[in-house]
Amino acid sequence: MPLPSCPDRSLANVIRRDEIRRDWLALLGALIVSMLAPTFAHAATFKVLVIAPQDDARLARNRVERAYFGPQTGAAVDGINVAVDETKLELEADGASLVVETATASGAKSAADAAAKAEKAGVAAIVTDLDAAATAAVAQAVKLPVINVGAA
């Protein structure tokens, strides 16, 4: 889809990255479901934790209001919830359900602590919408699958 003409090419690049990022969130939901599919043999509820930045500048009201019509904006957890809702029928047919939990982190340390706490609580996978350093800290803190949907 071509972008509308924009005198500021950096804004157009930001919009394109946001479009690509949101399109991949639906694919991410399918990936999570397929990753957990081998364990669906018995009825169970699986939990997925989404860790997002505490004060996400990408979701600031003035930035969202100035965006062009068409590109999707919003929190990553919203896109993941849509993907999970779209696969609910298939999950119910297998006797399983997928619960999406959210946590916010102000840095790498708090993200790793939230991930470790979630692992002890029985979370099956972790999705991060964080920078590379925080995602690496999460991956080192747990033995669960960690999927990064952030820009880094």
Side-chain angles (χ1 to χ4, degrees):
M1 172 176 148
L3 290 174
S5 76
C6 176
D8 182 5
R9 285 321 217 178
S10 62
L11 179 59
N13 288 334
V14 167
I15 291 171
R16 178 173 288 156
R17 282 193 307 263
D18 285 348
E19 286 178 339
I20 291 169
R21 180 171 175 257
R22 298 302 173 209
D23 290 343
W24 282 96
L25 287 177
L27 180 61
L28 172 67
L31 176 67
I32 291 171
V33 170
S34 66
M35 182 174 58
L36 299 175
T39 59
F40 285 169
H42 42 73
T45 299
F46 297 95
K47 293 187 251 178
V48 175
L49 176 68
V50 179
I51 304 175
Q54 191 166 15
D55 294 321
D56 196 352
R58 297 171 296 178
L59 302 177
R61 182 177 177 168
N62 62 353
R63 179 173 177 189
V64 173
E65 287 175 346
R66 286 186 285 162
Y68 288 102
F69 290 114
Q72 301 169 353
T73 57
V77 70
D78 294 338
I80 293 170
N81 282 330
V82 167
V84 169
D85 287 343
E86 289 177 353
T87 59
K88 190 174 283 190
L89 183 64
E90 290 85 357
L91 289 170
E92 288 175 356
D94 287 333
S97 64
L98 188 63
V99 177
V100 178
E101 298 177 353
T102 60
T104 58
S106 59
K109 175 86 169 108
S110 62
D113 292 343
K117 182 178 176 183
E119 183 179 34
K120 290 178 184 173
V123 169
I126 297 175
V127 178
T128 64
D129 187 16
L130 304 169
D131 60 1
T135 300
V138 168
Q140 291 175 355
V142 296
K143 295 179 182 178
L144 298 172
V146 177
I147 302 169
N148 181 22
V149 296

